[in-house]
Amino acid sequence: MEINYIGENLVSGQLGNLFIILSFVCSGLAAFSYFKAINSTAIEAASWKKMARTFFYVHFISILGIVSVLFYLLFNHHFEYYYVWRHSSTDLAMRYVFSCFWEGQEGSFILWSLWHAILGMILLNTAKKWEAGTMSILSLVQLLLGSMLLGVYVFDIQIGSNPFTLLREHPDMLNLPFVQNPEYLNFVEGTGLNPLLQNYWMTIHPPILFLGFALTLIPFTFALTSLYTKDYTSWLKPALPWTFFGIAILGLGVLMGGAWAYEALSFGGFWAWDPVENSSLVPWLILVGAGHLMLINKVKANSLFSVYLFSILSFLLIMYSSYLTKSGILGETSVHSFADGLPGQLIFILLLLVAGSLALLLIRFKELPKQQKEEELWSREFWMFLGSLVLLISCFQITFSTSIPVINAIFGTEMAPPTNANEHYNSWQLPLATLVAIFIGIGHYLKYKKTDSKKFFKDTAVSAILSLVITILVATGLKFQHYYHGLLMFAATYAVVANADYWLRILKGSIKKSGAAIAHIGFGLLLIGALISAGNKEIISRNNSGIEIKMNENENANKENIMLIKGDTVLMGNYFISYEGREKEGQNIYYKVNYFQIDDNGKYERQFQLRPFVQLNEQMGNVPEPATEHFWNKDIFTHVTYADLDDPALDDPEAYEEADTNLVKIGDTLFATNSIIIVREVIKDIDLEGNNLQPDDIAVGLKLEAMNVKGRVYEASPILVIRQNRLFSISDEVEELGLKFNFKKINPELGEFTILKQEKSSNASDFIIMQAIVFPYINILWIGCIIMTLGSIIAVINRIRFPKLTS
């Protein structure tokens, strides 16, 4: 019997599926038509190219249609669709709907395809003689990515995952009872967004990162087209601006990911060598190497094989990064691995691209122009090639260590990932970063083909001496513990000083050729900021409460965490801190911690308040998020490592707990969590009218004094009333202390009184365990990121405006 489901919006899903099919088919037809254009006569090629353009236009419009429909469904909470149900909820702030779009595998592939389509439209109109080749490859890649959205079965093999699959038709839902209910939408609620993605960085970081991913495809298409057409040199000129634009945008995306991790994750730092961080960093490093090798070969074609290899690898490593992120193979080794599924199809696409591109490179290897003689030692091309080689070694080490789960899965080995990732990667990467910094410091002072060594040393001597002096002062002031920190500090400082000198003295401050120098200055500052902030970070939270803190995975918990009891003031670093309490806002529980310093009068003066919080999420688990106070010379980074999340006071802090019954006499003392209560005297003269009592009522009260920890005294006077043969009580409260008293019974013969004492839920002993880290001079790192990105963009603009530039 067919069920007529009520409230479903089926038209939108049908439209979305139509767009998916159109985009897939038209990308394939565009790829075929462009390929035919390459292998046809001029007249036939024009016809094939015109047809290919039409197909790509339809493909582009279809991609826009997919994006529009999915956003419409998300914004309007159409939970009849599995993707919308899986990644959003009605209580989610609207600003995070964008994050919902690209949280899942399907959404991220759509975003990636959207950028490819946009870049394709630009390339289609600018590539000129390279259009057919580059667009055929771009369209083929779009076909492969589009297959990830099909959601069809071929011989019981699933091809893609469709974002417009209905909730009730999803394989995980088919046999659930709600499927038989025609009104199931009345009670269905979305599962919500991963708490880690509920951060403003996640609305801007993924689009920038995926644009960077997409940009690596353009040098890839130029490289393969030139290999296929056997035009081995002229492709470098049109590929260069795209390559450096990719360097700028992908670098910015990676750095934004670091900023997100710093603000949203509680591992404490900018970079943790997380596997997915690594798999985004490696293609960027390879692309940097490709760009610099293009500069060498644009002047003189000496190492074309390396240019091709780097240009091809940068995109292939992006595809490998996608596999790592979306296949689920990383398991719990990465906080960034949010999605899993279809690993077989991802492997097939990756192997297809690897086999096709590298096979073409090997086939054409013997035909590539060969180097006639070795480069001079004192030539720019020699040191730029050496720098690219160092980048390749760096990438190999990162990729090998990151790929341990993949290696284990393929070969059945049981290699363990590094237990201390920072120590493992830094032991390799710090020496390599030192070499790269030295190379970018000397690079601009070297000339192509040959450099006068005496002039070189004369030009660079002042920068080297100044850098050495700065290094000695910084190393002494910050008390560097390791010699290799000093070496990296010198190299990075030299990169900054030498490039600044080159820009200001030799280029006279001109912007026309300054892009590379500015980018190098930014990279040097980034290294300095990372070195100082991470190498000299100080954990200032120490547990002095007398209660031992135990954490299963941290033997140094007492040395790295502080216990804060509500209302207490303790010393931490250069501040006295006090935990004021907690408050719940939506799904977040904020912990208010005040930071004080003692003024000239010996009194506590509040400097600032930090509110680290825990985001509650029943579906995906609770997530702690840090709070940071920023200064010009440091950051104080804090996050909660333990808190009782089941405190009833969080739901209703004004509610009173159950009453305690106390039998007391005059002069007796009672104890509350925040005060001492003394029974002072019996009050016989009760104002009947003021208490809304009748003239015949008999009333007696008790005077109570409650003294808090600071010695301040508050009074309360509960009253016992006898009306005819009935007893009742008029309670009294001390609002400041959250106390309520009832006078329930009196025994005149024994002089005893029965009092009920109640405390507010918020009075309960409230404490948190918190970690606080000081990152010195971390702003140098952020400034370096900005300057490096700006320099790369300036280089791109100047490459387009002044295509004859050679540096």
Side-chain angles (χ1 to χ4, degrees):
M1 180 178 176
E2 185 177 351
I3 301 174
N4 293 319
Y5 294 97
I6 298 172
E8 289 185 334
N9 177 6
L10 300 181
V11 174
S12 295
Q14 292 166 354
L15 186 60
N17 282 316
L18 175 62
F19 284 135
I20 286 176
I21 294 170
L22 270 177
S23 69
F24 179 75
V25 172
C26 288
S27 62
L29 291 173
F32 176 78
S33 300
Y34 270 124
F35 182 75
K36 292 291 289 184
I38 302 174
N39 298 282
S40 302
T41 62
I43 297 175
E44 292 177 338
S47 177
W48 280 113
K49 192 181 296 185
K50 182 178 179 180
M51 189 183 302
R53 286 187 169 193
T54 302
F55 285 132
F56 195 83
Y57 290 149
V58 176
H59 167 73
F60 176 71
I61 293 170
S62 300
I63 291 291
L64 293 180
I66 296 170
V67 172
S68 301
V69 171
L70 188 53
F71 265 127
Y72 169 79
L73 296 176
L74 285 166
F75 273 110
N76 291 280
H77 305 300
H78 284 285
F79 297 133
E80 61 266 39
Y81 292 95
Y82 180 82
Y83 192 87
V84 180
W85 171 83
R86 184 68 183 83
H87 300 288
S88 68
S89 59
T90 53
D91 61 353
L92 186 70
M94 291 303 291
R95 62 183 179 275
Y96 296 135
V97 171
F98 291 97
S99 299
C100 297
F101 184 97
W102 42 72
E103 180 194 18
Q105 174 177 280
E106 299 90 337
S108 61
F109 277 120
I110 293 170
L111 177 62
W112 197 357
S113 296
L114 174 64
W115 282 126
H116 279 168
I118 293 171
L119 295 177
M121 292 297 291
I122 299 172
L123 193 63
L124 183 150
N125 291 285
T126 60
K128 298 179 181 178
K129 76 169 187 175
W130 298 98
E131 178 190 344
T134 57
M135 287 299 297
S136 67
I137 297 167
L138 188 147
S139 299
L140 176 62
V141 171
Q142 285 291 79
L143 178 73
L144 296 175
L145 292 184
S147 71
M148 295 299 299
L149 303 175
L150 292 177
V152 298
Y153 286 83
V154 178
F155 303 113
D156 293 328
I157 298 174
Q158 183 180 356
I159 307 297
S161 178
N162 192 310
F164 302 113
T165 299
L166 289 170
L167 177 65
R168 56 182 169 83
E169 293 180 351
H170 192 275
D172 294 343
M173 303 292 173
L174 284 175
N175 298 318
L176 297 182
F178 82 88
V179 173
Q180 304 302 319
N181 187 341
E183 298 182 358
Y184 75 94
L185 285 178
N186 291 333
F187 56 82
V188 167
E189 173 58 55
T191 59
L193 180 67
N194 189 314
L196 290 173
L197 299 182
Q198 295 184 35
N199 181 281
Y200 66 92
W201 279 111
M202 282 297 105
T203 63
I204 55 176
H205 159 57
I208 297 297
L209 186 67
F210 274 94
L211 175 56
F213 286 178
L215 282 163
T216 63
L217 176 60
I218 309 303
F220 178 82
T221 63
F222 274 106
L224 292 189
T225 301
S226 72
L227 287 170
Y228 185 79
T229 59
K230 300 183 181 182
D231 185 349
Y232 300 119
T233 55
S234 62
W235 70 281
L236 294 172
K237 180 179 177 180
L240 257 173
W242 287 105
T243 303
F244 278 94
F245 187 43
I247 290 170
I249 299 301
L250 182 55
L252 179 61
V254 172
L255 294 171
M256 280 184 170
W260 164 69
Y262 183 69
E263 288 204 7
L265 303 183
S266 56
F267 63 72
F270 168 79
W271 195 263
W273 295 108
D274 178 273
V276 177
E277 289 179 339
N278 296 348
S279 61
S280 298
L281 173 66
V282 167
W284 179 74
L285 292 175
I286 292 293
L287 193 63
V288 170
H292 287 78
L293 288 171
M294 286 180 187
L295 290 175
I296 298 173
N297 286 272
K298 187 168 178 283
V299 175
K300 184 179 180 182
N302 281 344
S303 52
L304 276 171
F305 177 80
S306 59
V307 182
Y308 281 114
L309 182 64
F310 275 65
S311 300
I312 291 170
L313 280 180
S314 62
F315 177 68
L316 294 181
L317 286 166
I318 289 294
M319 297 301 299
Y320 181 60
S321 169
S322 180
Y323 166 72
L324 288 178
T325 308
K326 296 174 174 62
S327 67
I329 196 167
L330 294 177
E332 297 180 357
T333 62
S334 172
V335 298
H336 297 69
S337 185
F338 297 123
D340 59 14
L342 302 175
Q345 187 175 350
L346 287 168
I347 292 174
F348 173 78
I349 291 173
L350 178 61
L351 291 179
L352 182 66
L353 291 169
V354 169
S357 56
L358 294 185
L360 182 59
L361 176 60
L362 294 176
I363 290 170
R364 295 285 192 257
F365 175 71
K366 290 184 179 180
E367 300 179 17
L368 296 179
K370 298 297 187 294
Q371 185 173 333
Q372 299 301 316
K373 66 175 184 177
E374 296 294 328
E375 290 101 342
E376 294 286 341
L377 175 64
W378 297 106
S379 67
R380 181 178 294 188
E381 52 266 41
F382 174 80
W383 289 96
M384 287 176 71
F385 178 81
L386 198 59
S388 297
L389 184 61
V390 171
L391 290 177
L392 185 63
I393 295 170
S394 169
C395 292
F396 176 80
Q397 187 275 321
I398 297 172
T399 302
F400 179 83
S401 297
T402 300
S403 301
I404 287 176
V406 180
I407 296 170
N408 288 338
I410 294 174
F411 299 103
T413 54
E414 297 182 356
M415 289 190 295
T419 54
N420 188 329
N422 284 331
E423 184 177 311
H424 171 77
Y425 286 100
N426 289 344
S427 65
W428 286 87
Q429 297 303 316
L430 288 186
L432 296 173
T434 301
L435 290 175
V436 170
I438 291 292
F439 294 158
I440 66 175
I442 66 176
H444 283 300
Y445 294 94
L446 295 167
K447 297 185 180 299
Y448 286 106
K449 298 182 180 180
K450 190 174 182 179
T451 305
D452 184 335
S453 58
K454 291 183 179 180
K455 185 177 187 306
F456 168 78
F457 284 113
K458 180 181 178 181
D459 288 341
T460 59
V462 174
S463 296
I465 294 170
L466 182 58
S467 300
L468 181 61
V469 172
I470 293 173
T471 299
I472 293 172
L473 292 175
V474 172
T476 304
L478 295 178
K479 300 178 180 178
F480 282 3
Q481 300 296 316
H482 305 286
Y483 72 90
Y484 48 83
H485 286 179
L487 291 176
L488 179 57
M489 181 67 197
F490 169 75
T493 304
Y494 179 65
V496 173
V497 174
N499 279 278
D501 174 56
Y502 180 81
W503 177 31
L504 298 174
R505 182 171 60 87
I506 297 178
L507 296 181
K508 309 298 183 183
S510 170
I511 299 296
K512 181 178 178 180
K513 293 186 177 182
S514 66
I518 293 174
H520 291 166
I521 291 170
F523 183 73
L525 289 172
L526 187 155
L527 289 179
I528 293 171
L531 173 64
I532 294 176
S533 63
N536 291 78
K537 71 178 182 180
E538 180 186 6
I539 299 177
I540 59 174
S541 46
R542 299 283 190 277
N543 179 34
N544 298 314
S545 66
I547 301 173
E548 185 178 3
I549 298 175
K550 293 184 178 180
M551 295 182 181
N552 293 335
E553 299 179 358
N554 188 356
E555 297 178 354
N556 298 316
N558 274 295
K559 297 178 181 179
E560 298 178 354
N561 297 269
I562 188 168
M563 177 181 285
L564 300 175
I565 299 173
K566 182 179 176 180
D568 284 359
T569 301
V570 297
L571 180 65
M572 186 182 76
N574 297 324
Y575 296 92
F576 289 90
I577 65 172
S578 176
Y579 170 43
E580 181 180 315
R582 65 181 84 183
E583 59 185 8
K584 188 175 182 182
E585 296 179 7
Q587 297 301 309
N588 298 333
I589 302 175
Y590 291 88
Y591 299 88
K592 297 179 287 185
V593 181
N594 295 314
Y595 289 70
F596 301 91
Q597 287 185 335
I598 298 177
D599 62 17
D600 295 336
N601 299 319
K603 295 182 179 180
Y604 291 123
E605 181 179 358
R606 194 174 93 163
Q607 303 298 306
F608 56 90
Q609 182 185 85
L610 289 177
R611 300 201 312 160
F613 65 96
V614 175
Q615 184 181 137
L616 303 179
N617 191 299
E618 294 181 1
Q619 297 287 338
M620 303 179 188
N622 303 322
V623 176
E625 296 204 21
T628 304
E629 184 70 14
H630 304 284
F631 299 89
W632 72 270
N633 62 341
K634 66 181 178 183
D635 277 3
I636 298 179
F637 174 98
T638 67
H639 66 100
V640 173
T641 54
Y642 174 82
D644 183 4
L645 302 178
D646 297 324
D647 190 343
L650 291 171
D651 297 319
D652 186 5
E654 298 301 314
Y656 282 96
E657 296 180 348
E658 292 186 10
D660 292 333
T661 302
N662 300 272
L663 187 63
V664 298
K665 295 182 179 182
I666 301 300
D668 282 356
T669 300
L670 303 175
F671 295 94
T673 57
N674 56 10
S675 58
I676 298 173
I677 302 129
I678 301 173
V679 183
R680 287 299 185 191
E681 61 182 358
V682 175
I683 304 174
K684 297 179 180 180
D685 187 14
I686 300 297
D687 181 4
L688 297 179
E689 184 176 351
N691 286 282
N692 295 320
L693 297 175
Q694 299 175 7
D696 295 334
D697 289 343
I698 300 173
V700 64
L702 276 181
K703 181 180 179 181
L704 307 176
E705 291 183 352
M707 183 172 64
N708 67 9
V709 292
K710 295 182 180 180
R712 184 173 179 181
V713 176
Y714 302 86
E715 292 186 358
S717 301
I719 299 172
L720 177 64
V721 180
I722 303 173
R723 179 175 295 171
Q724 297 178 359
N725 295 321
R726 186 167 61 91
L727 290 176
F728 64 89
S729 177
I730 299 175
S731 64
D732 197 8
E733 298 183 36
V734 180
E735 286 287 345
E736 296 85 350
L737 300 178
L739 297 174
K740 179 191 287 187
F741 301 97
N742 276 282
F743 188 180
K744 300 298 292 183
K745 190 184 297 184
I746 184 172
N747 187 334
E749 295 179 359
L750 300 177
E752 293 178 339
F753 313 95
T754 301
I755 299 175
L756 301 184
K757 173 178 66 69
Q758 289 180 277
E759 294 192 54
K760 287 185 178 180
S761 300
S762 55
N763 282 16
S765 180
D766 184 9
F767 74 94
I768 59 172
I769 298 175
M770 185 185 79
Q771 186 176 82
I773 306 172
V774 173
F775 289 99
Y777 301 102
I778 194 171
N779 284 332
I780 297 174
L781 184 149
W782 305 123
I783 292 170
C785 293
I786 295 170
I787 293 175
M788 184 177 72
T789 303
L790 289 176
S792 299
I793 292 173
I794 291 171
V796 173
I797 294 172
N798 288 334
R799 286 282 160 202
I800 297 172
R801 292 180 62 197
F802 311 108
K804 294 184 179 181
L805 284 175
T806 58
S807 61

